[in-house]
Amino acid sequence: QVQLLESGGDSVQAGGSLRLSCVASGVTVIWRCMAWFRQNAGRDREGVAAIAVNGDTVFADSVKGRFTISTDNANNTLYLEMMNLKDEDTAIYYCAAARTSWCDESLASSGFTYWGQGTQVTVSS
């Protein structure tokens, strides 16, 4: 059984930083495309960042230069480092695992099979 458990969400001031974690069980994070998505009330789920098995990364234009995605094989964990946070980054952030080793550059949610429950990030100015 695959489980993805996110943590690290918090309320922060604009310009601040957070690191989100996603501990995986039943799936090995370095063997699949792993990604972070986010969703705010009344909006569609948006792909934020993804990392492929070969280390290639994809980022949404809105977070390029501010967010970093990485995996930790020893702890089977996916991370999202977020810097210079903005009000518009406020959302529930979800961890997701695809069945493929490569990532679709479009960050379409349809490519992902397993999802976590989400962690809330709130940014205020």
Side-chain angles (χ1 to χ4, degrees):
Q1 182 180 359
V2 176
Q3 288 189 325
L4 302 174
L5 182 61
E6 303 96 334
S7 63
D10 205 346
S11 296
V12 296
Q13 293 287 317
S17 301
L18 281 175
R19 186 176 79 160
L20 305 184
S21 301
C22 171
V23 178
S25 59
V27 64
T28 304
V29 298
I30 62 168
W31 291 355
R32 297 171 179 263
C33 169
M34 299 292 298
W36 289 96
F37 288 78
R38 65 186 181 188
Q39 188 168 22
N40 214 344
R43 301 183 66 176
D44 291 338
R45 190 167 293 189
E46 172 193 21
V48 175
I51 183 166
V53 169
N54 64 0
D56 287 349
T57 56
V58 183
F59 294 93
D61 288 343
S62 59
V63 306
K64 282 180 180 176
R66 300 189 297 121
F67 289 13
T68 304
I69 187 171
S70 62
T71 54
D72 178 352
N73 181 35
N75 295 302
N76 205 29
T77 300
L78 176 72
Y79 296 103
L80 184 69
E81 298 272 0
M82 306 185 293
M83 298 185 297
N84 190 20
L85 284 161
K86 304 177 180 180
D87 291 0
E88 52 263 40
D89 294 320
T90 294
I92 299 173
Y93 283 71
Y94 298 90
C95 169
R99 289 190 179 276
T100 60
S101 61
W102 51 270
C103 298
D104 185 345
E105 290 189 354
S106 71
L107 290 173
S109 60
S110 59
F112 293 84
T113 305
Y114 304 107
W115 295 84
Q117 293 299 307
T119 185
Q120 176 72 48
V121 172
T122 302
V123 184
S124 58
S125 53

